[in-house]
Amino acid sequence: SYNLADGMERSGWTDPNYLSCIIGMAIISSIILLSTQHKARLIERIFWISTAVLSFATQLLLASRGGILAVGTALIFLLLRSKTKARYKIFVLLACVIIIAVLYSMGYFSLIEYRIANDGDGGSGRTDIWADKLSYYANSSNIFQVLFGLGPVSALNIGDKYAAFHNDFVAILCGYGV
């Protein structure tokens, strides 16, 4: 849940990027099936469309810009590179546009718009998080910590107020070392 008036963003999920990407897989899978299984039964098509629409609505409520960007990029790539007939590509594209328009009119884009409009430099503080964690790791005087990392739990405690890394490469380096 969220309340834009109070300045509160998401609650109930601390790092929605991963969940958003998992949900994005359902969207991509459904679109692939819709665009390639031309002789599928109507009930299957309805299921795939419902999966894609509900998953996309959930992704918008999570307001993970990375997940939405990943799905959008994958969909564009699929539409451009698939070997399906042009009429099926056009149908999928029009369906996506209609679904986006309906979800927009229902207010599903409000949190993602809010996050984009109110995001200052530094990716919501991510660059500060990375700098804190990498600085601590780089300044470690223990060669074993540099080579083998701090351990996944100890690495989360680097820095004053940040727990999540927001970058898997930094997380692996700090947690498991070189």
Side-chain angles (χ1 to χ4, degrees):
S1 66
Y2 64 91
N3 182 348
L4 296 177
D6 295 337
M8 182 180 83
E9 289 192 21
R10 304 166 292 212
S11 65
W13 192 265
T14 51
D15 193 355
N17 294 324
Y18 298 110
L19 179 60
S20 182
C21 286
I22 298 294
I23 291 171
M25 291 179 199
I27 298 168
I28 299 301
S29 299
S30 297
I31 298 299
I32 289 171
L33 290 169
L34 273 171
S35 62
T36 59
Q37 303 298 318
H38 307 302
K39 296 183 181 183
R41 296 179 311 178
L42 179 62
I43 191 74
E44 291 173 313
R45 290 179 177 278
I46 291 171
F47 177 75
W48 297 330
I49 291 169
S50 300
T51 299
V53 171
L54 292 174
S55 296
F56 186 63
T58 302
Q59 219 179 27
L60 289 171
L61 292 175
L62 287 169
S64 169
R65 294 162 293 186
I68 293 169
L69 182 62
V71 167
T73 303
L75 286 177
I76 290 169
F77 181 78
L78 282 172
L79 284 173
L80 293 176
R81 301 288 298 159
S82 72
K83 295 183 179 183
T84 59
K85 295 180 181 177
R87 67 180 174 171
Y88 293 113
K89 289 181 185 183
I90 292 170
F91 170 76
V92 170
L93 181 64
L94 286 174
C96 288
V97 168
I98 290 169
I99 290 165
I100 288 170
V102 168
L103 290 174
Y104 185 80
S105 70
M106 294 172 66
Y108 277 83
F109 283 83
S110 59
L111 183 56
I112 194 77
E113 288 174 336
Y114 171 80
R115 290 198 67 219
I116 291 169
N118 293 299
D119 189 17
D121 294 335
S124 298
R126 283 177 171 85
T127 55
D128 295 332
I129 295 168
W130 302 337
D132 285 349
K133 297 203 184 258
L134 286 173
S135 175
Y136 184 89
Y137 173 80
N139 294 324
S140 176
S141 59
N142 185 339
I143 188 68
F144 291 107
Q145 287 181 340
V146 172
L147 291 175
F148 302 108
L150 305 168
V153 175
S154 296
L156 283 172
N157 295 324
I158 298 171
D160 295 331
K161 60 181 180 177
Y162 305 115
F165 283 91
H166 296 286
N167 183 313
D168 288 335
F169 299 110
V170 175
I172 290 168
L173 179 66
C174 292
Y176 301 103
V178 177

